[in-house]
Amino acid sequence: MSALTPPTDMPTPTTDKITQAAMETIYLCKFRVSMDGEWLCLRELDDISLTPDPEPTHEDPNYLMANERMNLMNMAKLSIKGLIESALNLGRTLDSDYAPLQQFFVVMEHCLKHGLKAKKTFLGQNKSFWGPLELVEKLVPEAAEITASVKDLPGLKTPVGRGRAWLRLALMQKKLSEYMKALINKKELLSEFYEPNALMMEEEGAIIAGLLVGLNVIDANFCMKGEDLDSQVGVIDFSMYLKDGNSSKGSEGDGQITAILDQKNYVEELNRHLNATVNNLQAKVDALEKSNTKLTEELAVANNRIITLQEEMERVKEESSYILESNRKGPKQDKTAEGQALSEARKHLKEETQLRLDVEKELEIQISMRQEMELAMQMLEKDVCEKQDALVSLRQQLDDLRALKHELAFKLQSSDLGVKQKSELNSRLEEKTNQMAATIKQLEQSEKDLVKQAKTLNSAANKLIPKHH
């Protein structure tokens, strides 16, 4: 009968501890946000484990600020990646009602607000990221137009509303990444507005500015005259980025899309440089044409002047020959006056001859300059033709890349259908798992009942054995 006695040191599942460890509150400053492929993992910093460990001290402000910077950087990665993928699949110009675009601006607002110094005014303390954004026009002259447009909007009354409008206009201009990089590179100016360990002052800010380059492939159009940007509440919606592991796309498709986007950005940048080069060459050609026209006019004037000088020279020669003949035939008393006239005529002839030589030399210089100008124009025209051919080939490559992008988007859509079927199968398996878990709990309860009965029978058997002896 002693064999029926169960062992008393069997381990039982600690369901209370498991439940307590599974309960987590989504709070940005207390949780670590990490990315694993397309997973968004939210883990509490002081996770409860079954074996008690000494809890680290999280009261250090530098630790909290570093954790917040990491969380905001990961959220920026998720929002930018989701925005680009959804915009490419959508295939149209985005407006202010597009949910992923709204979440992107909310995340950017949190990034710009992180570590802001509070400015004391007569109304109290005020924290606004409009102050740092105003500095961009001093660093990049192209941003002055955006700042002036924001200040001219009649519906904006608060610095927060102006900052939100500035972000939207910069995205429409496709210069947001350039402006943010220029701002982050001037740490000495940002120190007036941010704490030393703020996101804009650390490496995470530079990473976010680099990620913003991908948004140049997105076309956005906003109408901010009737939009209330002052009273909006910026809350990050984590549900847009919480994904099931089975819904992750293949790494091969993501790599192809990334390569296509990189090639498209490169082609667009090269196209912009070629257009600028063509415009510069066209301006040089126009300047050379104007200079050539001016030289042609000067050459015509010089030719006319040479013809006039030649005619005058012939006339002087005739007069001198006539004077010589008259000297031979005339009386001797008139030779002195005629000799003076002849010397003056010779002097005048010598001056005219020297002037003619100077004009001919200047004409030769002008002709050589004109030939050099014509040669330079021919070389520029040849260069322009080569640039145009390169531009045509690059545009053809861009069209091919767009066709490949559409084909990949179609493949991704077809793969999404398979993913949905797998998710349905997964939900069924989870239901069966829950049923099996309930059955296991019932079996454990019945096992406990059997153990109690065995203990009762064992005690009864122990009582009966002495009586028989």
Side-chain angles (χ1 to χ4, degrees):
M1 295 298 293
S2 60
L4 296 175
T5 305
T8 58
D9 55 350
M10 290 179 65
T12 58
T14 57
T15 57
D16 294 336
K17 291 185 178 180
I18 294 174
T19 305
Q20 185 177 3
M23 295 175 62
E24 295 179 352
T25 304
I26 299 177
Y27 182 60
L28 186 60
C29 295
K30 194 179 179 182
F31 276 70
R32 182 182 299 279
V33 182
S34 61
M35 291 180 61
D36 183 10
E38 288 194 356
W39 282 84
L40 172 63
C41 304
L42 299 177
R43 296 296 300 170
E44 196 173 3
L45 296 180
D46 48 356
D47 285 336
I48 300 173
S49 59
L50 297 179
T51 58
D53 296 328
E55 296 183 356
T57 58
H58 295 171
E59 300 299 330
D60 187 7
N62 293 329
Y63 176 86
L64 294 177
M65 293 290 283
N67 189 40
E68 291 174 4
R69 291 198 306 269
M70 182 64 66
N71 292 342
L72 289 172
M73 184 186 69
N74 289 330
M75 285 307 305
K77 288 182 181 179
L78 285 171
S79 62
I80 293 171
K81 181 180 179 182
L83 178 58
I84 293 174
E85 290 180 353
S86 61
L88 293 178
N89 292 330
L90 190 63
R92 64 175 177 84
T93 302
L94 306 182
D95 52 15
S96 57
D97 295 332
Y98 192 55
L101 193 58
Q102 293 175 356
Q103 278 298 297
F104 166 72
F105 286 126
V106 171
V107 174
M108 286 302 300
E109 183 177 342
H110 279 279
C111 293
L112 290 171
K113 285 182 178 179
H114 184 261
L116 268 176
K117 294 180 180 179
K119 290 190 175 182
K120 295 182 179 179
T121 61
F122 64 94
L123 296 177
Q125 291 184 347
N126 182 23
K127 285 187 177 182
S128 173
F129 58 93
W130 170 240
L133 296 182
E134 277 188 304
L135 297 175
V136 179
E137 64 176 343
K138 298 180 181 179
L139 306 175
V140 184
E142 297 177 3
E145 182 180 355
I146 294 180
T147 306
S149 300
V150 170
K151 292 179 180 179
D152 292 338
L153 287 175
L156 299 179
K157 299 179 181 179
T158 63
V160 176
R162 295 189 187 96
R164 291 168 177 170
W166 190 94
L167 289 175
R168 284 158 174 79
L169 290 176
L171 183 63
M172 288 173 59
Q173 199 181 20
K174 296 185 179 182
K175 295 283 187 179
L176 183 57
S177 174
E178 181 180 349
Y179 296 157
M180 294 300 293
K181 286 181 180 178
L183 188 61
I184 289 173
N185 290 334
K186 297 293 182 180
K187 295 291 192 303
E188 63 275 9
L189 297 178
L190 289 178
S191 60
E192 181 182 353
F193 299 94
Y194 289 100
E195 299 290 342
N197 51 2
L199 184 138
M200 295 292 289
M201 303 291 289
E202 296 292 341
E203 183 181 359
E204 289 82 359
I207 294 174
I208 293 175
L211 293 173
L212 294 175
V213 177
L215 297 180
N216 293 337
V217 301
I218 295 176
D219 296 325
N221 188 13
F222 305 106
C223 181
M224 290 173 290
K225 289 186 177 180
E227 190 173 358
D228 185 13
L229 297 176
D230 293 327
S231 60
Q232 290 182 3
V233 180
V235 179
I236 299 177
D237 185 9
F238 287 90
S239 63
M240 296 181 62
Y241 311 107
L242 292 172
K243 298 181 179 180
D244 188 9
N246 294 325
S247 66
S248 59
K249 277 81 175 177
S251 58
E252 182 179 359
D254 290 341
Q256 291 178 352
I257 292 177
T258 304
I260 289 173
L261 291 177
D262 293 339
Q263 292 177 2
K264 183 178 180 183
N265 292 333
Y266 171 73
V267 170
E268 289 180 351
E269 188 70 20
L270 185 59
N271 189 10
R272 189 177 69 178
H273 284 297
L274 287 175
N275 288 331
T277 305
V278 170
N279 293 331
N280 293 332
L281 292 175
Q282 189 64 36
K284 291 181 180 178
V285 169
D286 295 338
L288 289 174
E289 287 179 353
K290 293 179 180 179
S291 178
N292 189 17
T293 305
K294 185 177 179 181
L295 290 175
T296 304
E297 294 175 355
E298 292 178 355
L299 181 61
V301 173
N303 289 330
N304 293 331
R305 188 175 179 183
I306 289 172
I307 293 172
T308 304
L309 291 174
Q310 288 177 351
E311 293 176 354
E312 189 173 355
M313 187 175 178
E314 292 294 332
R315 183 178 58 81
V316 170
K317 285 181 179 180
E318 291 177 358
E319 290 179 354
S320 62
S321 63
Y322 175 75
I323 291 171
L324 290 174
E325 290 294 332
S326 61
N327 287 334
R328 291 175 185 176
K329 296 179 181 180
K332 294 181 179 181
Q333 59 270 17
D334 294 336
K335 288 183 178 181
T336 304
E338 291 176 355
Q340 292 178 356
L342 182 60
S343 63
E344 290 180 358
R346 288 178 178 175
K347 184 178 181 181
H348 183 67
L349 179 61
K350 187 176 181 180
E351 292 176 355
E352 294 293 339
T353 305
Q354 185 64 33
L355 181 61
R356 179 185 177 184
L357 293 175
D358 294 338
V359 171
E360 289 179 352
K361 186 181 291 184
E362 184 180 357
L363 179 60
E364 290 177 357
I365 294 173
Q366 296 292 339
I367 291 173
S368 63
M369 289 178 63
R370 180 181 177 182
Q371 292 176 353
E372 291 178 358
M373 292 294 181
E374 291 178 352
L375 181 61
M377 286 179 61
Q378 292 177 359
M379 294 177 65
L380 287 174
E381 289 176 356
K382 183 178 179 181
D383 194 8
V384 169
C385 293
E386 293 177 355
K387 298 293 184 182
Q388 289 178 351
D389 295 338
L391 185 61
V392 171
S393 62
L394 288 173
R395 287 177 179 172
Q396 183 64 32
Q397 293 179 6
L398 182 60
D399 294 336
D400 296 339
L401 290 174
R402 287 176 179 171
L404 182 59
K405 182 192 73 174
H406 290 304
E407 183 180 355
L408 288 175
F410 178 74
K411 291 182 179 179
L412 288 175
Q413 290 178 357
S414 61
S415 64
D416 287 339
L417 296 175
V419 168
K420 289 181 180 178
Q421 295 177 358
K422 291 181 180 179
S423 61
E424 293 177 357
L425 181 61
N426 188 22
S427 61
R428 294 176 184 174
L429 291 174
E430 288 181 354
E431 291 178 359
K432 291 182 179 180
T433 303
N434 294 331
Q435 293 177 1
M436 293 176 66
T439 306
I440 290 171
K441 287 183 179 180
Q442 292 178 0
L443 292 174
E444 289 178 352
Q445 186 63 35
S446 62
E447 183 182 357
K448 291 180 180 179
D449 295 338
L450 290 173
V451 169
K452 291 180 180 179
Q453 292 178 4
K455 287 181 179 180
T456 305
L457 293 174
N458 192 13
S459 61
N462 290 332
K463 291 179 181 180
L464 292 173
I465 288 173
K467 292 181 180 181
H468 289 290
H469 287 291

